[in-house]
Amino acid sequence: MTETREHRIIRAFVEMSNELVDDYDVVDVLAQLTGHCAGLLDVASAGLLLADGRGVLHLAASSSERVHHLEVFQLQRDEGPCLDCFQGGEAVLVRDLADEEQRWPQFSRAARDSGFRSVHALPMRLTGHVLGALGLFGETPGVLNDEDLAFAQALLHVATVAIVNERSAIDRATVNSQLQRALTSRIIVEQAKGVLAQASGLSMDDAFAGLRRYARDHGTKLSVIASQVVDRELQHQTVIQHARSAAVLP
């Protein structure tokens, strides 16, 4: 029987909530967030930016390499909806990027060159602080309905809990420490993706899928496996062969 969208949404919440019970990997939780948004909402891709202790945004997770490069471009050019969302603390909803040439001239062109026509940016908040912004990128003009926006915001709340580790961890220094750890882990994961992609001729998306599957099947944190790959403690062939045997990769 075909699974309904409602059941898939419930399963997404269950999956993310269950992660918080055990010794979870925050990088994996953030990857789940962007993946669920891209898979369950009327958007093509999603990307999450997080701020470090100085308030500087960094890419924390993305559902595709297209958005990965676009989010980095947005940070480099210091313009775009996610930056405005983070700075203003409010959602930025753009029906058609063609209408925003004057507002974000470089970002708007880059986004449309990447095949995106609309974008919705939602703030990640904790006790009055804005920790980052979630970008939802669509390939056609239009806006998300209120239910979809509420769903994305709810997933953001779950991810926020994962970052700070517990609801009571509202001390700013604690939050900054958790954010920095998440961003550092993300860098290691990106390095491991690059190692696998270069060594095996895979796309970065496939390299990440293989890395994540190996970590999950071996009950080890994604960041730990990534570090082992980068340090050559775990051979890239082992990860790739496992992913292929699990039918994650062709």
Side-chain angles (χ1 to χ4, degrees):
M1 184 174 66
T2 303
E3 187 178 28
T4 66
R5 182 171 181 268
E6 181 180 359
H7 287 154
R8 291 169 61 205
I9 288 175
I10 293 172
R11 185 159 55 84
F13 275 113
V14 170
E15 180 181 343
M16 289 190 66
S17 298
N18 284 343
E19 288 287 332
L20 306 186
V21 176
D22 300 315
D23 186 22
Y24 61 88
D25 189 338
V26 68
V27 176
D28 200 9
V29 173
L30 299 183
Q32 287 183 44
L33 164 67
T34 56
H36 286 318
C37 285
L40 294 171
L41 301 177
D42 189 20
V43 297
S45 298
L48 178 67
L49 301 180
L50 287 181
D52 61 20
R54 299 169 298 154
V56 178
L57 287 171
H58 303 268
L59 178 67
S62 61
S63 66
S64 71
E65 282 302 298
R66 275 200 301 165
V67 161
H68 175 105
H69 295 305
L70 186 58
E71 292 282 35
V72 171
F73 180 89
Q74 183 175 191
L75 295 173
Q76 292 173 337
R77 298 301 188 274
D78 195 28
E79 68 169 47
C82 290
L83 273 69
D84 287 3
C85 174
F86 172 72
Q87 293 165 358
E90 300 293 337
V92 176
L93 310 179
V94 180
R95 175 186 293 273
D96 192 340
L97 281 164
D99 298 332
E100 303 298 337
E101 284 278 359
Q102 292 186 338
R103 186 177 184 183
W104 309 304
Q106 298 178 91
F107 173 82
S108 179
R109 287 193 295 271
R112 289 189 289 126
D113 287 345
S114 297
F116 298 117
R117 294 294 180 271
S118 59
V119 61
H120 309 79
L122 304 178
M124 173 183 270
R125 296 193 189 92
L126 176 70
T127 61
H129 299 291
V130 181
L131 307 182
L134 173 68
L136 305 170
F137 298 84
E139 294 178 339
T140 58
V143 295
L144 294 177
N145 60 42
D146 291 342
E147 289 185 359
D148 280 357
L149 290 173
F151 167 65
Q153 194 71 64
L155 286 180
L156 264 177
H157 294 329
V158 176
T160 302
V161 174
I163 290 174
V164 301
N165 203 26
E166 59 182 4
R167 292 181 183 276
S168 60
I170 59 176
D171 177 75
R172 189 62 181 172
T174 301
V175 173
N176 286 342
S177 175
Q178 296 282 19
L179 286 169
Q180 190 58 54
R181 185 167 66 179
L183 292 170
T184 300
S185 296
R186 174 67 186 183
I187 292 172
I188 295 173
V189 170
E190 287 299 316
Q191 291 173 340
K193 284 167 55 180
V195 170
L196 293 180
Q198 183 175 21
S200 304
L202 298 171
S203 69
M204 293 290 276
D205 287 337
D206 283 345
F208 180 66
L211 192 69
R212 189 179 180 197
R213 183 56 181 264
Y214 187 92
R216 292 208 153 205
D217 288 353
H218 287 79
T220 307
K221 289 184 177 181
L222 177 62
S223 55
V224 171
I225 295 299
S227 180
Q228 291 176 354
V229 170
V230 172
D231 294 338
R232 301 300 194 272
E233 296 174 7
L234 176 62
Q235 295 300 311
H236 70 270
Q237 298 97 326
T238 303
V239 177
I240 298 303
Q241 288 172 5
H242 178 84
R244 284 178 173 149
S245 67
V248 174
L249 299 177

